Amino acid sequence: MTTIKKLINKAKRRLLRMHFESNVGHIGGNLSCLDLLVCLYHKIIEDKDAFVLSKGHAAGSLYTTLWSLGCLSDEDLQTFHQNGTKLAGHPPINGIPKILFATGSLGHGLSLSNGLALGKKLKGEAGRVFCLLSDGEWNEGSNWEALIFAVHQKLNQLTIIIDCNGLQGFGTTHEVANLEPLTDKFLAFGCAVTEINGHDPDNIIEALSLTMTKPHVILAYTTKGHGISFMENKMEWHYLPMTLEQYQQALEETSL
Amino acid sequence: MRNILCDTLTKCSDNPKFVFLTGDLGYQALEPLQQTLGERFINAGVAEQNMVSVAAGLAKVGLQPWVYSISPFVYARPFEQIRNDVCLHDFPVRLVGNGGGYAYGVMGATHHALEDYGAMLCLMNMRVFVPAFAADVLEIINQLHSFNHPAYLRLGRCEKPKDVDLPPYTPWRRLLQGEGATMLIVGPLAGGIIDAAQHLSDAYRPNLWILTELPIEPAKIPQDFLDDLEKSGHLFIVEEHIAHGGVGQIIARCLLEMGRLPTKFTHRHALGYVSGLYGSQTFHRQECGLDPTSILEKLKG
C-alpha cells in the first residue's frame, strides 16, 4: 500500500473514531471527500496557497486531515461537538489557523475563494486557491454568480473541487434538482474541467497538480460513506451517528 | 452625497489596499473613481451575494474593500453573506448603500431602504453611518480608513439649508437651541426640518440634535443632550426608517437603562406605503408625517 493510501486510511479510522466518540452524524459526506482532502493537504498545498471548505458539513474530514498533518492534536479531536470546543460541527470563525472562514451555509465558499484569489492577484502574490464544494451545493444560485465572476476576472489560480457523491439532503442530486450535464455547464461557463475518480489518489493528485489558463473545475466522482459497506450510497448516513456495533464493523472494514 | 463619496475616495486611491466593488451601478457618478483605481475598481456585475463574499475574501488577505450598490441591493439581497462572511469574521468591509429611506421615490418600493440600519445593527460587529449632510460623508470616510470592523454607510441627498453653519463633525451635534422639545433626527431629512424650525419662536423651537453613527453607546450620549432632555421632558425622534429596529427604539432602551426617561415621547418614522400609491421622496415623507410642515405642526402642539 502506498504512503498516501496509508495516510488516508489512518485519517479515515480517526474520522470514524471521532464521529463515534462524539455521537455525531454527517459521516457519509465526510467519507466521500476525505481522500480528496488528504491528497490535497499532503501532496499539493504549499504555505502560499489557501483552501476553503465550502461544504462545511465535512468539517470532520477537514479536522481529521489537519490532525494527520499535526495541526490538530488527539486532544483537540476529542472535543469535537462537545461543549467548549473549537471544533464545532461546521468550521469555526477562528481558533484554527488553517481554517480561514466559518462555513456551513452552502454557496459561500466559492465567492470567498474568489476574494482570496482576486486579492492575491491584486497584491501580485503567488499561490493557488482551492475550494471544495458538494454537488448538491450547486443548487445555490450564488455559486453560479461566483463562477461567472471567477471566469470573467480570470482567476486562473483557482481550483474548484466538487465532491460528486450524488446524494444531497433529502434525495439524490437527480431527484432533487437535476443539474446534469454538469460538465457541459462548467465548460459553457468557460472553465477548464477535469473528471476524476475521487477515491483514487493518483487520479486526484494528477488533477490537482494541473495548472490551467482558466479556473479549473475538478469533478470528483465519489461515494457517500465510501469504504464502509453499510454506509455507501445511503442517504441516512448524512445524518446518523454510529452504534457501537456499526463502529466496530467500520473499523474491521478499514483495518489494513 | 454620491459625488462627494466619489471625490473623497478618488483622493484616497493611492492607498494600495483600497479596492472598490460595485454591483453594476454608478453610471455618471463613479467614472472618475473607476479611472483612478484601474484594476482595483471591480464591477462585480449584478451579483450582490458573490460581491459581498468576494469583499470578505479580499479583507482576509489584508485589503480594504468597499462595496457599493443601491441600498436594498447591498444590505438585503446579500444579508447572509454580510452576516456570515463579513460580520462573523469582523472583517473591515464597507458597505455603501445609495438612496437611504425613500430617496429613490417613485422608482418604487423595491428601491427603498426603510429597514436598512435596523437590519444591519442586528449583526455582530457592524457599525452604521448615516450622514445628514454632504460634508459628513468626507468626515466619515476619513474615519473609516482606520476603522477595523464592518460598516454600513447610508447615503441620501444633502438638504442642508444654505444659511445654516454646521458645527465640527461629531456623531451627536446640536444644530438648534430653544425651549421646545428635544429633537433627535437621523438622516438628511434633518436639513428641511432645521430650515423650518429655526424660525419658530423660542417657546416652540426645539433643541435639535443630529445623530449620524449607530449603534448608540449610552456612555457616549452627550451630557448636553441629556440636560436638554431633562429640561424639556419631551423626546421627539425623526427618522426615515421603520419603527422596528430604528433609533426611536434604540434610544428608548438606552434611556430606560440609564433611568433618564422623558415624560413625553414622540416618534416619527417611515410607515411604508400609507395610501398604496407611489411618488417622490417628498410625497412619501408627507404620507408618513416626516415632512417639515407636519413636524412643525407637532412641535407647536
Side-chain angles (χ1 to χ4, degrees):
Chain A
M1 185 178 260
T2 60
T3 315
I4 189 72
K5 281 189 177 170
K6 282 182 191 159
L7 271 170
I8 292 169
N9 183 264
K10 193 176 161 194
K12 185 178 281 186
R13 288 170 68 84
R14 192 64 188 82
L15 176 74
L16 289 163
R17 183 183 144 197
M18 183 176 79
H19 276 255
F20 172 71
E21 286 176 350
S22 300
N23 198 33
V24 169
H26 269 161
I27 186 98
N30 277 281
L31 288 167
S32 64
C33 65
L34 184 64
D35 307 57
L36 294 163
L37 282 173
V38 173
C39 290
L40 179 68
Y41 268 100
H42 283 272
K43 296 292 183 185
I44 304 290
I45 281 190
E46 298 174 26
D47 285 345
K48 62 182 188 296
D49 301 331
F51 171 73
V52 179
L53 182 70
S54 194
K55 52 169 292 187
H57 54 284
S61 257
L62 181 58
Y63 298 151
T64 317
T65 303
L66 294 178
W67 166 85
S68 73
L69 286 166
C71 300
L72 289 173
S73 67
D74 262 316
E75 290 71 32
D76 289 329
L77 297 193
Q78 279 157 16
T79 70
F80 179 55
H81 257 262
Q82 309 300 313
N83 285 335
T85 187
K86 60 184 174 186
L87 307 189
H90 294 84
I93 300 164
N94 47 39
I96 305 173
K98 284 196 187 294
I99 295 182
L100 306 181
F101 303 107
T103 50
S105 176
L106 299 174
H108 287 243
L110 187 52
S111 294
L112 290 164
S113 303
N114 276 343
L116 297 175
L118 179 65
K120 281 177 182 289
K121 195 174 161 184
L122 292 175
K123 292 168 78 180
E125 287 178 4
R128 299 175 66 187
V129 179
F130 299 88
C131 182
L132 176 66
L133 301 96
S134 73
D135 46 1
E137 193 174 352
W138 287 89
N139 295 175
E140 295 280 5
S142 56
N143 280 329
W144 299 98
E145 289 185 9
L147 201 62
I148 293 167
F149 185 89
V151 173
H152 184 77
Q153 296 293 335
K154 298 185 173 60
L155 303 179
N156 302 335
Q157 72 278 51
L158 180 64
T159 302
I160 302 163
I161 310 160
I162 307 178
D163 177 8
C164 299
N165 63 31
L167 282 167
Q168 54 186 100
F170 198 19
T172 68
T173 50
H174 291 81
E175 288 164 348
V176 177
N178 191 7
L179 287 165
E180 292 300 336
L182 201 49
T183 307
D184 291 351
K185 288 186 173 65
F186 290 122
L187 288 170
F189 273 71
C191 303
V193 181
T194 307
E195 295 178 76
I196 62 166
N197 173 349
H199 299 301
D200 178 339
D202 293 341
N203 221 202
I204 296 169
I205 293 162
E206 187 186 350
L208 288 172
S209 304
L210 295 171
T211 48
M212 297 289 188
T213 53
K214 314 168 169 184
H216 183 200
V217 176
I218 298 175
L219 288 163
Y221 296 108
T222 61
T223 302
K224 197 153 189 167
H226 179 256
I228 312 298
S229 60
F230 59 91
M231 291 185 190
E232 286 196 350
N233 290 318
K234 299 248 171 44
M235 197 177 65
E236 57 263 39
W237 289 100
H238 189 82
Y239 301 102
L240 295 179
M242 285 171 280
T243 62
L244 177 61
E245 293 72 27
Q246 286 168 330
Y247 174 56
Q248 283 169 340
Q249 187 182 338
L251 284 184
E252 273 174 38
E253 292 185 14
T254 52
S255 68
L256 294 178
Chain B
M1 287 186 188
R2 192 169 62 162
N3 290 339
I4 196 163
L5 173 94
C6 182
D7 290 348
T8 311
L9 289 179
T10 302
K11 284 174 192 146
C12 311
S13 56
D14 55 348
N15 170 8
K17 291 185 174 179
F18 172 40
V19 183
F20 191 91
L21 299 115
T22 174
D24 201 28
L25 286 162
Y27 175 64
Q28 289 195 330
L30 300 181
E31 287 84 355
L33 185 62
Q34 182 178 30
Q35 279 164 16
T36 312
L37 277 177
E39 65 172 1
R40 285 182 287 124
F41 184 100
I42 310 276
N43 186 343
V46 196
E48 296 82 6
Q49 296 178 77
N50 176 66
M51 176 165 66
V52 169
S53 301
V54 165
L58 291 169
K60 181 70 184 176
V61 297
L63 297 171
Q64 295 165 358
W66 290 62
V67 177
Y68 173 85
S69 193
I70 293 175
S71 283
F73 312 153
V74 81
Y75 78 83
R77 176 59 168 263
F79 184 77
E80 193 186 60
Q81 280 75 12
I82 301 170
R83 174 186 181 268
N84 291 8
D85 302 338
V86 176
C87 289
L88 283 181
H89 299 87
D90 199 12
F91 286 140
V93 171
R94 287 80 180 83
L95 305 169
V96 183
N98 193 43
Y102 293 106
Y104 272 89
V106 78
M107 298 299 280
T110 55
H111 283 51
H112 296 159
L114 305 182
E115 66 296 283
D116 54 345
Y117 53 75
M120 291 297 94
L121 290 170
C122 290
L123 300 177
M124 269 188 279
N125 304 310
M126 178 60 85
R127 189 141 188 101
V128 167
F129 297 83
V130 188
F133 310 105
D136 299 352
V137 177
L138 173 72
E139 300 288 343
I140 289 168
I141 290 174
N142 287 339
Q143 194 182 135
L144 281 173
H145 287 310
S146 54
F147 183 70
N148 217 19
H149 306 282
Y152 169 70
L153 172 59
R154 178 206 244 211
L155 299 182
R157 184 171 47 85
C158 179
E159 298 169 30
K160 189 182 93 59
K162 284 196 176 106
D163 55 347
V164 169
D165 292 325
L166 295 179
Y169 179 84
T170 55
W172 294 75
R173 279 170 293 174
R174 183 166 56 193
L175 272 89
L176 292 180
Q177 284 184 275
E179 293 165 16
T182 303
M183 184 170 253
L184 183 62
I185 308 183
V186 186
L189 82 175
I193 298 169
I194 293 165
D195 198 24
Q198 64 182 336
H199 305 298
L200 286 171
S201 63
D202 284 356
Y204 295 121
R205 194 168 57 245
N207 281 302
L208 189 150
W209 290 78
I210 308 286
L211 177 63
T212 46
E213 295 182 22
L214 299 166
I216 294 169
E217 294 170 60
K220 292 189 179 168
I221 298 176
Q223 188 57 46
D224 285 347
F225 175 83
L226 295 171
D227 292 345
D228 284 353
L229 191 57
E230 194 162 313
K231 215 181 300 168
S232 72
H234 181 191
L235 178 58
F236 193 148
I237 312 284
V238 184
E239 56 183 327
E240 204 164 326
H241 186 281
I242 58 166
H244 289 287
V247 165
Q249 286 190 345
I250 297 169
I251 194 154
R253 184 188 180 281
C254 292
L255 295 172
L256 183 63
E257 207 169 65
M258 296 161 77
R260 304 291 294 257
L261 281 183
T263 50
K264 192 173 173 192
F265 180 80
T266 305
H267 189 190
R268 286 287 173 91
H269 52 80
L271 296 168
Y273 304 93
V274 179
S275 64
L277 302 174
Y278 300 95
S280 64
Q281 184 171 31
T282 303
F283 170 86
H284 287 291
R285 284 178 181 172
Q286 283 168 346
E287 284 213 325
C288 301
L290 288 169
D291 58 302
T293 307
S294 305
I295 301 285
L296 246 60
E297 278 170 17
K298 183 72 184 170
L299 281 171
K300 287 193 272 188

